[in-house]
């Protein structure tokens, strides 16, 4: 800052002289003056510049001696400018000055101009004047802050703009750059004649300030001159913008981009960590039932609970929707299974939502480790996501650690899903049929249609594998329709050609049981001219399906058509005895594991199942009969219908015809 006092001029310039030499500048519409750097005086100014300098006449202004009270830092800055002018460079910067103790600030263009005696003076053009009298604005995002250091790095001088804004917070260069090493490096660099162009962030009175620093060595004085531009506001804006770009505004956790950046940084530092992919169970239901505002409140509370759970070494983000990420650095022996269990427990506690009351969700977690499982963030996220899916598939509300086997399983799943879609499209599927025997008549009562799929690349894939996948993906709907249509078509042929009493059992997934299923089934039966009584739909027991209102209604509609309903794999699921009574089922199919004696007390169960079914007026079929001994025992227990490899494996339709049906037409 230039403080100005008026003293008797050492050099007398007459207004007349100046007016004549610089007359053309008078026409310019901006304040302009010429400054003699060596003598620290203004030698000429246009009339617009006089009010800016609080001067009444050019004579008075040119009489001012700026050397009084000029800081060494400003002196050095101006001398440096002079050197730049000699190189034909000009400088545009905000400049602070205090004519008659009034603080002013203007954006000035400084350039060199030859003086009368051949030396180079400084032509100053005011590009824009801030026009504010407020001192605190003097350097708000200020430039022309200067610091001068001696060769050992101690502060020699700070210009008044710096002092005004920051006081005297540093006594050495290392204080300013917060590092002795960096200070030494700077001094070394500038003494070699090189310029410093760096950024410095430092604490002054508990607040972080940022500066762009330009540093030069003044060889004549053996001093380091730093010209600073305060960039705190821009930096804060940038920091805020970066915060917003990397954080989720709902939970204030990191967002997807923030997590990605964090992962990249952790990977670059090679510090081992566990990536935990947390997905809420049952969140969609909350959103669909109570709306998105309630869903948002819930997500916010989930974020808060996660924050409370983990220490400051863990980083948490919301990856999207109801997915959260926790990054736990494992160098500090974090117990990951324990942390997962604590997260699950915490999220299992009910959440209180204003105006709604208590709500419950749960969560499934998948984890992957850097660098044990993968060394890039995309793969790690994929692996943790896979593990999370498996945790869900295994019953939710649990955690699963990624293993390479798991990846293979999931890749196979993806492959099967893709190829199954093509098989459905191209009609590349097949039905095999397994006879169900009537032990009283020793005749075939009917056949169970069982789906077969042989893929060119994957080979034969068992229905146990692809049916459950098709249920997960929804492909079971078109697949089930294809099975139903093909089995009915086959039955219509066999009934017409061999035996009109033949029955066909068809496996149905609960996912197919929507409100119009019975209607569609009736249309198909009519199309193939099949009596509803010739059809049995086999449904596996599962606690879920029968609770569901739509499934229950569909089962009741099907039974009203006269189509039989068989409860498949009895004893393996969640069947309760009351279900046998409540549901419109006509037949129970005892699971083959009991016939094989795989369970403790299998024999007793075989006997008891028959007894219960008899009491309830239900028919019972025993599946998986492989030996004569099993057959004899089952007949002994009163089983009328048997199915199993002993009679036949599931076989294609032509084999069914040759082995079981040819000759039947004779009896009809
Ligand atoms: P399921 O409905 O209980 O079918 C009986 C399964 O037991 C069949 O397996 C059959 O091949 C097998 N099996 C029959 N007799 C014996 C035996 O004596 N010993 C042994 N060890 N096994 C025997 P498959 O064909 O592999 O079918 C497995 C399951 O896939 C079926 O069990 C059924 O739940 C499902 N599935 C098959 N086809 C379809 C379909 O078209 N739709 C639906 N939704 N599910 C189907
Ligand atoms: Mg079955
Ligand atoms: Mg079965």
């Amino acid at each position: 800052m230039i403080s100005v006092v008026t003293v008797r001029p050492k050099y007398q310039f007459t207004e007349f002289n100046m007016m004549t030499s610089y007359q053309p500048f008078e026409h310019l519409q901006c304040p302009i003056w010429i400054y003699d750097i060596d003598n620290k005086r203004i030698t000429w100014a246009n009339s617009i510049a006089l009010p800016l300098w609080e001067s009444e006449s050019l004579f008075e202004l040119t009489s001012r001696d700026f050397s009084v009270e000029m800081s060494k830092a400003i002196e050095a800055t101006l001398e440096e400018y002079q050197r730049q002018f000699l190189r034909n460079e000009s400088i545009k910067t905000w400049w602070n000055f205090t004519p008659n103790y009034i603080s002013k600030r203007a954006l000035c263009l400084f350039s060199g101009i030859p003086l009368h005696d051949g030396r180079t003076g400084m032509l100053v053009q005011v590009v824009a004047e801030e026009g504010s009298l407020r001192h605190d604005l003097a350097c708000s995002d200020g430039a022309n802050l200067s610091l001068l250091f001696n060769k050992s790095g101690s502060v020699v001088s700070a210009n008044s703009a710096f002092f005004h804004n920051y006081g005297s917070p540093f006594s050495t260069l290392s204080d300013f750059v917060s590092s002795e090493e960096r200070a030494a490096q700077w001094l070394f660099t500038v003494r070699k004649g090189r310029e410093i162009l760096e950024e410095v962030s430092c604490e002054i009175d508990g607040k972080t300030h940022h500066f762009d620093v330009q540093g030069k060595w003044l060889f004549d004085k053996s001093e380091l001159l730093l010209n600073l531009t305060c960039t705190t506001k821009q930096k804060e804006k940038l920091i805020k913008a970066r915060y917003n770009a990397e954080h989720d505004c709902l939970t204030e956790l990191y967002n997807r981009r923030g997590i990605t950046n964090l992962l990249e940084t952790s990977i670059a530092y090679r510090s081992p960590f566990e990536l935990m992919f947390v997905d809420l169970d049952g969140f969609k239901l909350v959103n669909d039932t109570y709306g998105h505002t309630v869903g948002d409140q819930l997500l916010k509370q989930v974020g808060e609970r996660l924050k409370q759970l983990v220490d400051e070494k863990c980083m948490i983000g919301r990856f999207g929707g109801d997915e959260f990420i926790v990054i736990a650095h494992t160098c500090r022996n974090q117990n990951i299974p324990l942390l997962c269990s604590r997260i699950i427990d915490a999220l299992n506690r009910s959440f209180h939502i204003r105006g709604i009351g208590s709500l419950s969700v749960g969560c499934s977690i998948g984890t992957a480790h850097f660098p044990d499982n993968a060394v890039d963030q995309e793969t790690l996220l994929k692996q943790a996501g896979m593990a999370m899916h498996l945790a869900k598939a295994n019953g939710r509300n649990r955690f699963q650690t990624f293993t390479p086997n798991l990846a293979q399983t999931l890749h196979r799943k993806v492959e099967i899903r893709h190829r199954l879609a093509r098989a459905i499209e191209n009609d590349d599927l097949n039905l095999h049929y397994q006879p169900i025997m009537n032990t009283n008549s020793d005749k075939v009562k009917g056949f169970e249609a069982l789906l077969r799929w042989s893929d060119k690349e994957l080979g034969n894939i068992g229905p146990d594998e692809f049916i459950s996948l098709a249920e997960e993906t929804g492909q079971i709907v078109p697949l089930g329709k294809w099975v139903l249509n093909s089995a009915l078509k086959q039955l219509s042929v066999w009934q017409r050609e061999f035996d009109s009493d033949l029955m066909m059992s068809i496996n149905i997934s609960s996912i197919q049981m929507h409100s119009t299923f019975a209607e569609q089934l009736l249309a198909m039966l009519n199309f193939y001219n099949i009596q509803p009584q010739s059809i049995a739909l086999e449904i596996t027991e599962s606690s879920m399906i029968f609770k569901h209102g739509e499934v229950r209604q569909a089962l009741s509609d099907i039974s009203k058509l006269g189509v039989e309903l068989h409860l498949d794999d009895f004893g393996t699921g969640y069947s309760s005895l009351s279900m046998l009574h409540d549901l419109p089922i006509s037949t129970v199919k005892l699971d083959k594991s009991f016939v094989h004696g795989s369970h403790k007390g299998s024999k007793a169960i075989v006997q008891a199942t028959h007894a219960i079914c008899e009491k309830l007026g239900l028919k019972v079929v025993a599946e998986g009969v492989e030996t004569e001994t099993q057959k004899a025992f089952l007949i002994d227990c009163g089983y009328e219908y048997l199915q199993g490899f002993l009679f036949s494996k599931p076989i294609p339709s032509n084999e069914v015809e040759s082995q079981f049906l040819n000759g039947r037409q004779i009896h009809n």
Side-chain angles (χ1 to χ4, degrees):
M1 199 181 302
I2 304 169
S3 298
V4 173
V5 286
T6 310
V7 293
R8 201 184 233 313
K10 281 193 215 154
Y11 301 89
Q12 282 289 339
F13 299 103
T14 63
E15 258 184 66
F16 175 77
N17 276 342
M18 297 298 114
M19 286 285 285
T20 46
S21 16
Y22 300 121
Q23 191 64 39
F25 290 156
E26 199 49 65
H27 300 293
L28 292 174
Q29 289 306 299
C30 61
I32 187 164
W33 63 89
I34 291 163
Y35 184 77
D36 180 340
I37 298 171
D38 306 316
N39 296 314
K40 301 185 178 59
R41 279 168 186 277
I42 288 177
T43 59
W44 179 83
N46 68 358
S47 42
I48 305 173
L50 296 179
L52 193 69
W53 279 107
E54 300 292 324
S55 178
E56 281 172 8
S57 69
L58 183 60
F59 180 74
E60 186 280 326
L61 184 60
T62 53
S63 315
R64 293 183 188 180
D65 181 358
F66 291 96
S67 67
V68 183
E69 288 185 22
M70 179 179 281
S71 73
K72 282 190 145 203
I74 279 294
E75 208 176 312
T77 304
L78 290 175
E79 282 168 16
E80 178 53 33
Y81 282 3
Q82 198 171 28
R83 281 190 279 277
Q84 285 180 247
F85 300 152
L86 289 173
R87 297 197 298 269
N88 270 337
E89 291 170 15
S90 57
I91 300 125
K92 192 180 193 180
T93 182
W94 282 95
W95 193 260
N96 298 282
F97 53 111
T98 49
N100 292 342
Y101 304 103
I102 297 168
S103 186
K104 297 196 177 184
R105 191 161 179 267
L107 180 63
C108 299
L109 184 66
F110 301 104
S111 47
I113 187 166
L115 298 174
H116 294 282
D117 53 12
R119 287 177 303 112
T120 298
M122 178 166 83
L123 176 67
V124 185
Q125 281 170 266
V126 172
V127 180
E129 190 195 343
E130 195 170 68
S132 164
L133 296 179
R134 278 181 300 135
H135 272 234
D136 59 350
L137 266 179
C139 210
S140 55
D141 55 352
N144 92 286
L145 303 162
S146 309
L147 288 171
L148 197 63
F149 298 86
N150 66 17
K151 59 183 175 204
S152 52
S154 302
V155 173
V156 174
S157 161
N159 73 341
S160 39
F162 187 93
F163 180 76
H164 174 76
N165 283 280
Y166 309 105
S168 304
F170 318 110
S171 52
T172 62
L173 183 61
S174 32
D175 285 353
F176 174 56
V177 296
S178 318
S179 152
E180 285 192 6
E181 212 183 328
R182 193 176 182 195
Q185 181 62 44
W186 279 24
L187 285 168
F188 178 80
T189 306
V190 287
R191 291 175 85 158
K192 292 245 174 238
R194 291 202 295 270
E195 205 182 38
I196 287 172
L197 284 174
E198 290 201 26
E199 289 182 5
V200 168
S201 301
C202 54
E203 289 274 311
I204 303 174
D205 291 335
K207 188 176 181 286
T208 307
H209 293 264
H210 305 273
F211 300 99
D212 277 350
V213 181
Q214 189 183 19
K216 272 192 177 143
W217 186 247
L218 308 177
F219 283 94
D220 49 344
K221 299 191 175 80
S222 280
E223 285 171 341
L224 165 66
L225 173 67
L226 297 186
N227 289 118
L228 318 179
T229 306
C230 171
T231 55
T232 307
K233 275 194 176 164
Q234 293 97 303
K235 269 272 149 60
E236 281 173 351
K237 260 194 203 163
L238 263 173
I239 291 168
K240 181 95 188 113
R242 188 173 170 172
Y243 180 91
N244 289 341
E246 291 195 334
H247 285 78
D248 165 42
C249 55
L250 178 69
T251 57
E252 294 194 5
L253 300 172
Y254 286 102
N255 60 16
R256 184 184 282 242
R257 183 196 288 197
I259 294 162
T260 311
N261 291 349
L262 282 176
L263 287 173
E264 261 165 17
T265 313
S266 298
I267 290 170
Y269 279 106
R270 301 186 176 282
S271 93
F273 63 85
E274 194 83 26
L275 175 68
M276 302 159 75
F277 202 117
V278 183
D279 189 286
L280 298 187
D281 297 329
F283 176 72
K284 193 175 176 313
L285 192 65
V286 171
N287 240 355
D288 292 348
T289 315
Y290 298 102
H292 290 257
T293 317
V294 170
D296 283 355
Q297 284 184 58
L298 184 73
L299 290 173
K300 222 171 154 176
Q301 289 192 31
V302 167
E304 275 155 21
R305 272 196 203 170
L306 287 176
K307 270 190 248 173
Q308 282 165 12
L309 265 176
V310 301
D311 65 21
E312 73 288 349
K313 286 276 166 192
C314 290
M315 285 163 291
I316 316 172
R318 181 172 161 231
F319 203 54
D322 60 349
E323 297 165 344
F324 293 82
I325 295 280
V326 178
I327 303 168
H329 284 272
T330 45
C331 47
R332 294 174 67 237
N333 287 335
Q334 281 266 16
N335 184 335
I336 298 301
L338 182 69
L339 184 57
C340 286
S341 306
R342 284 173 53 207
I343 292 175
I344 292 169
D345 289 346
L347 299 189
N348 268 323
R349 291 202 313 273
S350 57
F351 291 87
H352 190 81
I353 307 286
R354 223 181 313 122
I356 299 285
S358 284
L359 286 182
S360 292
V361 286
C363 75
S364 302
I365 306 176
T367 72
H369 187 268
F370 169 84
D372 293 356
N373 294 136
V375 290
D376 69 287
Q377 49 115 351
E378 214 171 293
T379 314
L380 281 163
L381 279 165
K382 199 173 70 188
Q383 292 175 337
M386 283 181 188
M388 183 275 291
H389 279 291
L390 192 66
K392 284 219 188 268
N394 287 346
R396 300 168 185 261
N397 224 22
R398 64 193 62 215
F399 70 92
Q400 171 73 49
T401 310
F402 175 81
T403 60
N405 271 355
L406 192 154
Q408 272 173 15
T409 311
L410 287 170
H411 278 131
R412 181 168 166 88
K413 267 185 150 183
V414 171
E415 188 69 10
I416 288 182
R417 178 194 179 148
H418 169 65
R419 304 192 74 85
L420 182 61
R422 291 202 1 215
I424 299 170
E425 253 174 50
N426 303 338
D427 215 7
D428 262 351
L429 299 153
N430 210 345
L431 283 182
H432 279 193
Y433 303 90
Q434 188 178 32
I436 300 167
M437 307 300 293
N438 184 336
T439 53
N440 289 336
S441 62
D442 220 16
K443 269 185 156 184
V444 174
K445 176 184 181 257
F447 295 91
E448 177 175 1
L450 292 158
L451 194 51
R452 294 292 176 261
W453 174 34
S454 176
D455 180 79
K456 271 192 215 91
E457 282 180 24
L458 302 172
N460 288 337
I461 305 154
D464 277 332
E465 187 176 6
F466 71 83
I467 294 280
S468 56
L469 182 69
E471 285 177 335
E472 255 178 60
T473 60
Q475 286 168 308
I476 192 69
V477 176
L479 195 62
K481 206 170 175 184
W482 182 90
V483 170
L484 203 57
N485 190 59
S486 309
L488 292 184
K489 190 173 172 184
Q490 185 62 74
L491 182 65
S492 73
V493 174
W494 285 344
Q495 282 192 340
R496 204 170 50 240
E497 293 186 8
F498 302 103
D499 184 347
S500 55
D501 289 336
L502 271 186
M503 280 197 71
M504 182 72 84
S505 293
I506 303 161
N507 294 286
I508 298 286
S509 160
S510 65
I511 296 161
Q512 296 172 254
M513 297 280 179
H514 46 75
S515 53
T516 55
F517 181 81
E519 217 175 285
Q520 289 176 9
L521 178 64
L522 182 64
M524 280 182 174
L525 290 170
N526 289 338
F527 182 79
Y528 288 112
N529 196 20
I530 290 173
Q531 294 303 307
Q533 294 74 14
S534 312
I535 295 294
L537 299 186
E538 296 191 7
I539 300 141
T540 40
E541 45 175 4
S542 133
S543 60
M544 297 289 290
I545 60 164
F546 299 120
K547 273 186 196 153
H548 200 283
E550 196 180 2
V551 175
R552 242 174 198 279
Q553 186 56 50
L555 290 178
S556 149
D557 293 346
I558 292 164
S559 129
K560 276 184 203 149
L561 292 181
V563 169
E564 280 196 31
L565 282 168
H566 293 188
L567 189 62
D568 206 354
D569 302 347
F570 183 73
T572 56
Y574 302 85
S575 38
S576 78
L577 291 176
S578 66
M579 216 165 72
L580 294 179
H581 185 68
D582 289 349
L583 291 171
I585 47 177
S586 66
T587 304
V588 164
K589 291 189 83 173
L590 179 68
D591 189 68
K592 52 182 172 282
S593 56
F594 301 103
V595 175
H596 297 168
S598 321
H599 305 275
K600 200 174 156 218
S602 284
K603 281 196 167 174
I605 291 172
V606 172
Q607 288 164 330
T609 303
H610 185 268
I612 293 165
C613 290
E614 197 169 38
K615 277 262 180 307
L616 292 172
L618 297 170
K619 284 177 280 184
V620 56
V621 179
E623 293 186 283
V625 187
E626 292 180 357
T627 63
E628 288 294 344
T629 322
Q630 289 165 354
K631 178 182 167 190
F633 175 66
L634 289 161
I635 292 175
D636 202 36
C637 292
Y639 280 79
E640 198 180 344
Y641 301 104
L642 303 181
Q643 181 182 351
F645 293 170
L646 180 67
F647 309 101
S648 169
K649 290 202 167 184
I651 46 175
S653 57
N654 57 338
E655 288 182 34
V656 169
E657 288 172 16
S658 62
Q659 291 181 32
F660 294 95
L661 298 179
N662 279 339
R664 275 248 181 164
Q665 57 269 63
I666 298 162
H667 303 288
N668 286 334

